[in-house]
Each structure stands twice: as structure tokens, then as C-alpha cells.
């Protein structure tokens, strides 16, 4: 409490947003940014908690950090924007959350991460972008955390494919799934996408 005038019968209470921790004072002290005084007759200011801030004088309460922002320290006058590769999905966040595998964030102050588009993937957390499927692999779904190798009898010759192509009749895929090769002599494949070449049976040949 304080009293600024002489000859008074009582002292005045410090209102919310102000405080006074010493006796015999004539004025209340104003709460500074980063703190607040939530009740009347406060004797000390209270620091804003992590996840909150106060950017003005004489505040009775602290503000919550908005989505896309966070604050891991107490007694601050502002929140921090999330960095690329992270997000803050809820108010009053005390830390940023890394984007999970299969997603990314390439901008500041993001509420959510974006799923990797087809035909890209991301197998690491906390990334700012996705990568295209490599040759011999494909990505068919949104938000993929891994690429899928082409199955036997199929292939890709370029990166960034959403599906693999079938090898033609008389061919089978190489081990890397990056192309097809002719069946060797004495062998054949009678359909596109054959898993392997078959041996000619007795009485038949393939030069």
C-alpha cells in the first residue's frame, strides 16, 4: 500500500499492474515488460512464465504465445518464431517441435508441417524440404518417410517417379531396378513385367 498525500487516515492499495515492496512509500511501482502484477496489494512483480510474454508496462496478466511461436524462458517481452524444420501447433508453447519424417517446414513461424508431395519423401525429422525418389525407386503416397524400390520386372530411368515401368516381353529387370536387360540365350519371358527369365524346356530353344 502507499499514500501520496499527507494527513490521510489510510493507505491506498496498489492496483493490478502495479506493486510496492517497501513500507512508507508514496507511489506504487509499475510492472515492467516481461512481468505482471496480477492482484491488488502486490509486493513484487511476477515474471511471465515460459510460453507467455508481456510487451507493455503495467500489465495485470501475461499474453500467451500464439501458434507458430514459443518461449522457453521466463520473464520475456516477446515470443520466438519457430525456425524452418519445426512448428508450434498450440498456444503457449514452451518449445518448438521438429517436423516428423515424411513432412517438412520451409518457413518461419509455422503452426504445422507440410507433408511431402508425391513423388518425394523425407526419412529424417526436422527438415526444410523433401527429396525426390532415386532412380530404381518410387514414391506413390503423400507424406512418405521412405522410397520404395522397384519390384522385379519393373524399373525407372529417372529420379522423382511415382511408379515403376514394366519391362517388355523378352526382358527382365536388372538388380538395381534402373533398366531392363534381354533374357540370355536359352531363356525367355512371355509377358511384360516378368520377375525373371524362364529356361526353355526340352524340345525348345532360344538362341
Amino acid at each position: 500500500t502507499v499514500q501520496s498525500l499527507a494527513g490521510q487516515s489510510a493507505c491506498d492499495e496498489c492496483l493490478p499492474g502495479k506493486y510496492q515492496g517497501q513500507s512508507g512509500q508514496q507511489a506504487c511501482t509499475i510492472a515492467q515488460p516481461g512481468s505482471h502484477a496480477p492482484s491488488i496489494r502486490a509486493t513484487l512483480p511476477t515474471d511471465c512464465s515460459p510460453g507467455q510474454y508481456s510487451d507493455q508496462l503495467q500489465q495485470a496478466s501475461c499474453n500467451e504465445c500464439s501458434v507458430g511461436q514459443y518461449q522457453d524462458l521466463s520473464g520475456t517481452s516477446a515470443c520466438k518464431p519457430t525456425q524452418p524444420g519445426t512448428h508450434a501447433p498450440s498456444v503457449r508453447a514452451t518449445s518448438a517441435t521438429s517436423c516428423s519424417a515424411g513432412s517438412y517446414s520451409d518457413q518461419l513461424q509455422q503452426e504445422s508441417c507440410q507433408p511431402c508431395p508425391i513423388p518425394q519423401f523425407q526419412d529424417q525429422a526436422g527438415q526444410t524440404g523433401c527429396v525426390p525418389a532415386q532412380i530404381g525407386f518410387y514414391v506413390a503416397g503423400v507424406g512418405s518417410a521412405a522410397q520404395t524400390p522397384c519390384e522385379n520386372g519393373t524399373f525407372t530411368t529417372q529420379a522423382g517417379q511415382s511408379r515403376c515401368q514394366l519391362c517388355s516381353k523378352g526382358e527382365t529387370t536388372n538388380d538395381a531396378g534402373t533398366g531392363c536387360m534381354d533374357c540370355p540365350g536359352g531363356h525367355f519371358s512371355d509377358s511384360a513385367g516378368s520377375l525373371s527369365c524362364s529356361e526353355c524346356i526340352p524340345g525348345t530353344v532360344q538362341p
Side-chain angles (χ1 to χ4, degrees), residues 146-185:
Q147 57 183 347
T148 303
C150 291
E151 299 174 353
N152 287 341
T154 67
F155 70 99
T156 64
T157 58
Q158 295 181 336
Q161 300 299 304
S162 61
R163 61 184 180 86
C164 299
Q165 298 174 287
L166 296 175
C167 291
S168 301
K169 292 180 180 181
E171 297 179 334
T172 188
T173 187
N174 58 27
D175 292 338
T178 58
C180 299
M181 55 187 181
D182 291 338
C183 291

Side-chain angles (χ1 to χ4, degrees), residues 43-107:
T43 57
L44 288 172
T46 302
D47 283 346
C48 293
S49 301
Q52 298 180 310
Y53 73 100
S54 171
D55 58 356
Q56 297 182 19
L57 297 169
Q58 198 172 325
Q59 295 301 294
S61 61
C62 298
N63 302 311
E64 294 180 332
C65 293
S66 302
V67 293
Q69 299 179 337
Y70 72 100
Q71 182 52 261
D72 54 340
L73 303 175
S74 59
T76 61
S77 59
C79 298
K80 303 173 182 178
T82 60
Q83 298 298 303
T86 67
H87 68 300
S90 60
V91 298
R92 205 171 177 175
T94 58
S95 63
T97 303
S98 294
C99 294
S100 59
S103 66
Y104 73 99
S105 170
D106 59 358
Q107 297 182 17

Side-chain angles (χ1 to χ4, degrees), residues 76-149:
T76 61
S77 59
C79 298
K80 303 173 182 178
T82 60
Q83 298 298 303
T86 67
H87 68 300
S90 60
V91 298
R92 205 171 177 175
T94 58
S95 63
T97 303
S98 294
C99 294
S100 59
S103 66
Y104 73 99
S105 170
D106 59 358
Q107 297 182 17
L108 296 169
Q109 199 166 322
Q110 295 300 293
E111 176 182 355
S112 61
C113 300
Q114 303 300 314
C116 291
I118 300 171
Q120 299 180 358
F121 75 101
Q122 180 52 259
D123 57 0
Q124 302 291 323
Q127 299 302 302
T128 59
C130 302
V131 294
Q134 298 172 330
I135 298 175
F137 294 80
Y138 70 99
V139 173
V142 175
S144 293
Q147 57 183 347
T148 303

